[in-house]
């Protein structure tokens, strides 16, 4: 499985998800499925790879949505990412904020309790900072990336901070 292909698919998936959420009145789940269909047509991903990328995007958007409140703005998302917003392409940031905000509203409606999301080496994720569950080593990504094993202890489980 080509990890660069999954990282590129992750970015494309976010773009399609943003467009779907902007253009229509779909729920997050519906928009996720529509985006998945678009990526399926536009790429040469296997069904397993497509499911994996979809899972990565869903996890990251839900995590961001649980962390945002109505009063918070782009500076709070910058803290969530743990680096300056200027390092993210404007379109990617706008797309992520739009999808995360709509998802936050949808999650609030159904009063879903936030769960701790764990990340594993080999997962593809959005930009952010992660801490190794075993040794506490922080690793940060400025672009969608594949999570490696911990460079310090070779741990495979991480939590976004």
């Amino acid at each position: 499985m080509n990890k660069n292909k999954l990282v590129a698919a992750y970015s494309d998936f976010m773009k399609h998800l943003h467009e779907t959420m902007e253009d229509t009145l779909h729920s997050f789940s519906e928009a996720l499925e529509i985006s998945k269909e678009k990526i399926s047509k536009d790429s040469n991903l296997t069904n397993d790879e497509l499911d994996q990328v979809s899972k990565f995007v869903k996890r990251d958007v839900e995590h961001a949505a649980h962390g945002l409140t109505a009063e918070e703005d782009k500076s709070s998302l910058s803290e969530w990412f743990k680096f300056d917003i200027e390092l993210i392409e404007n379109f990617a940031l706008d797309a992520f904020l739009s999808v995360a905000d709509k998802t936050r509203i949808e999650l609030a409606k159904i009063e879903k309790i936030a769960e701790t999301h764990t990340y594993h080496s080999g997962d593809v994720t959005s930009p952010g900072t992660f801490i190794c569950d075993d040794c506490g080593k922080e690793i940060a990504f400025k672009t969608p990336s594949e999570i490696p094993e911990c460079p310090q202890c070779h741990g495979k489980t991480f939590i976004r901070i």
Side-chain angles (χ1 to χ4, degrees), residues 8-27:
Y10 181 99
S11 294
D12 291 344
F13 202 113
M14 282 299 298
K15 178 183 172 198
H16 287 301
L17 186 60
H18 170 70
E19 291 169 355
T20 302
M21 296 290 288
E22 282 295 307
D23 293 340
T24 59
L25 297 174
H26 294 292
S27 70

Side-chain angles (χ1 to χ4, degrees), residues 2 4-5 12 17-19 41 54-55 62 64 79 81-82 87 93 100-102 107 111 118 127 140 142 154 158:
N2 183 345
N4 288 333
K5 180 170 73 169
D12 291 344
L17 186 60
H18 170 70
E19 291 169 355
K41 291 176 185 173
S54 177
K55 180 182 83 173
E62 285 179 347
E79 179 60 29
F81 280 136
K82 287 280 198 168
L87 297 176
L93 176 61
D101 186 54
K102 288 180 181 181
L107 291 172
E111 298 179 4
T118 56
K142 295 180 181 178
H154 303 288
F158 298 85

Side-chain angles (χ1 to χ4, degrees), residues 18-159:
H18 170 70
E19 291 169 355
T20 302
M21 296 290 288
E22 282 295 307
D23 293 340
T24 59
L25 297 174
H26 294 292
S27 70
F28 175 65
S29 297
E30 292 168 336
L32 199 64
E33 284 304 312
I34 291 168
S35 300
K36 191 173 174 181
E37 289 172 18
K38 287 180 182 177
I39 291 293
S40 175
K41 291 176 185 173
D42 296 344
S43 73
N44 60 350
L45 294 176
T46 67
N47 285 338
D48 287 342
E49 290 170 332
L50 190 58
D51 288 342
Q52 192 174 19
V53 171
S54 177
K55 180 182 83 173
F56 294 151
V57 168
K58 182 177 187 256
R59 174 203 59 205
D60 290 346
V61 170
E62 285 179 347
H63 186 265
H66 286 298
L68 296 174
T69 64
E71 301 83 40
E72 292 176 319
D73 58 11
K74 291 181 182 182
S75 63
S76 64
L77 189 61
S78 176
E79 179 60 29
W80 181 75
F81 280 136
K82 287 280 198 168
F83 57 88
D84 292 331
I85 287 178
E86 287 78 32
L87 297 176
I88 305 172
E89 294 179 25
N90 285 336
F91 177 79
L93 176 61
D94 290 343
F96 195 81
L97 283 172
S98 174
V99 171
D101 186 54
K102 288 180 181 181
T103 303
R104 179 191 57 80
I105 292 167
E106 187 174 315
L107 291 172
K109 285 181 184 176
I110 60 173
E111 298 179 4
K112 180 177 179 182
I113 299 173
E115 60 185 45
T116 301
H117 292 279
T118 56
Y119 297 76
H120 304 280
S121 58
D123 286 358
V124 176
T125 188
S126 62
T129 303
F130 300 82
I131 188 165
C132 176
D133 206 27
D134 294 335
C135 72
K137 170 80 175 162
E138 288 187 19
I139 57 174
F141 305 105
K142 295 180 181 178
T143 61
S145 302
E146 176 188 355
I147 300 174
E149 287 186 357
C150 176
Q152 186 167 310
C153 74
H154 303 288
K156 297 178 193 256
T157 305
F158 298 85
I159 295 175

